[in-house]
């Protein structure tokens, strides 16, 4: 592990995380990475669903859990039982932030409506993540990231026009919701400095996807245009695409700026292309995108990926390989920056994972430990944070509450 017991810009903040899967817990990961004390409440016995998730596992253990639950303390608690909900409410009475991603109405059903929680703790910030948000006609619907990506327009513009709309390969809708929730929490913390009061941060996963949809909606609003799936390129931006190499690899070249394109044309041995009326300006290149992509692809096919990367870098032309996990793990730049780190773990040995983002110069975050075992910190939280005696904790355990 790296770092001290608690360090980083958010050290001193206490966060209670409820819920499972990705959106809320990813927000919790981001806060914990920057030093917040995140207490993750999990159901006794089965724990968070993320303990089992992941297409590839190591000896039956999830390889996602060590990342998304890192730096968190695990408290087992049955929130469906009144005694469990009351313990959670006591914990929230001394917390700064609650992150929950239950279906809307669940907290209320368990006697933890935001108004009641903030009556006991007026400074509590309550971040609520759900498929469609806390209000609106769809609010009560069950929603996951994949559904939000489809309904908020992201799936419609990815992939090739002659094939079904694909997913990105990642749960991007959930991750975006977690990031926007983190932004909302930090904004509410700043407001609390002036008012002393907490507030509710309401994030629908659909909201988060819509939030990164660039000009897709305004394009339609102003012109009626509907952005379509275009495969690997950017409509009207050329050359900026994947191109084949001599050794059957792919290279992404972004040579669409005027000055960059002049350098690219020279490197290709065809400097006259930059003066050709079809390619002399940004707009012209976009209008002749398919033709220009063919010319660039014809050149890249004659060289290996390694040769192309060296040549393009030497001439200041943005380019990069399409890297898989094995290539990422060997990338010296990512290793040196700490974008990828190797952590010693009790269950997996030396495990490589992504580092803390963003990097702060004065109060950097850290990976203090990976995802904990189920209930690893239950006694610590109940005794140390709430002051419960060993007999009381044992009684809660016998009743199945923890």
């Amino acid at each position: 592990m790296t770092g001290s017991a608690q360090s980083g810009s958010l050290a001193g903040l206490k966060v209670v995380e409820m819920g499972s899967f990705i959106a809320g817990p990813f927000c919790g990961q981001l806060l914990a990475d920057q030093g917040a004390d995140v207490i993750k409440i999990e159901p006794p016995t089965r724990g968070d669903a993320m303990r089992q998730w992941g297409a590839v596992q190591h000896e039956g253990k999830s390889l996602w859990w060590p990342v998304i639950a890192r730096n968190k303390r695990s408290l087992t608690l049955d929130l469906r039982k009144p005694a469990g909900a009351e313990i959670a409410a006591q914990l929230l009475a001394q917390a700064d932030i609650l992150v929950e991603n239950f279906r809307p109405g669940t907290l209320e059903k368990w006697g933890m409506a935001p108004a009641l929680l903030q009556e006991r703790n007026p400074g509590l910030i309550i971040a609520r993540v759900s498929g469609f948000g806390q209000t609106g006609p769809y609010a009560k619907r069950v929603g996951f990231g994949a559904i939000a990506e489809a309904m908020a327009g992201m799936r419609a513009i990815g992939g090739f026009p002659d094939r079904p709309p694909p997913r990105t390969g990642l749960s991007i809708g959930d991750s975006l919701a977690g990031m926007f929730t983190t932004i909302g929490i930090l904004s509410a913390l700043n407001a609390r400095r002036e008012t002393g009061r907490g507030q509710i941060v309401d994030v629908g996963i659909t909201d988060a996807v819509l939030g990164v949809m660039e000009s897709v909606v305004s394009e339609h609003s102003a012109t009626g245009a509907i952005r379509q799936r275009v495969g690997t390129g950017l409509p009207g931006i050329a050359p900026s695409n994947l191109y084949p190499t001599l050794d059957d690899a792919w290279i992404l070249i972004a040579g669409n700026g005027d000055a960059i394109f002049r350098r690219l044309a020279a490197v290709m041995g065809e400097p006259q292309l930059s003066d050709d009326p079809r390619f002399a300006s940004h707009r012209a290149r976009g209008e002749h995108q398919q033709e220009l992509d063919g010319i660039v692809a014809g050149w890249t096919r004659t060289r290996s990926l390694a040769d192309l990367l060296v040549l393009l870098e030497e001439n200041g032309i943005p380019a990069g390989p399409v890297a898989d996990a094995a290539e990422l793990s060997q990338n010296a730049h990512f290793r040196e920056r700490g974008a990828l780190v190797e952590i010693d773990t009790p269950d997996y040995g030396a495990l490589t994972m992504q580092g803390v983002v963003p990097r702060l110069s004065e109060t950097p975050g850290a990976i203090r430990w990976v995802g904990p075992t189920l209930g690893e910190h239950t006694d610590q939280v109940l005794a140390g944070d709430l002051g419960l005696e060993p007999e009381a904790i044992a009684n809660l355990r016998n009743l199945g509450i923890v």
Side-chain angles (χ1 to χ4, degrees), residues 50-54 56-63 347-348:
M50 296 305 294
R51 290 182 179 274
Q52 285 77 48
W53 267 43
V56 178
Q57 298 193 335
H58 174 76
E59 298 179 353
K61 297 183 177 70
S62 167
L63 291 162
D347 292 332
Y348 309 93

Side-chain angles (χ1 to χ4, degrees), residues 14-32 37-43 48 50 65 67-77 79 88 91-92 95 97-102 107 127 129 185 372:
K14 179 175 288 188
V15 181
V16 175
E17 178 191 301
M18 298 180 183
S20 60
F21 296 108
I22 305 167
F26 183 56
C27 170
Q29 177 197 326
L30 297 178
L31 297 172
D37 176 19
V38 177
I39 300 171
K40 179 172 185 61
I41 296 179
E42 302 184 68
D48 190 306
M50 296 305 294
W65 177 255
V67 181
I68 200 166
R70 68 193 190 191
N71 297 326
K72 300 177 185 178
R73 295 196 282 166
S74 172
L75 164 66
T76 54
L77 195 59
L79 297 172
L91 197 58
L92 289 165
I97 301 155
L98 165 62
V99 177
E100 66 96 356
N101 65 337
F102 297 119
L107 277 186
V129 193
I185 288 169

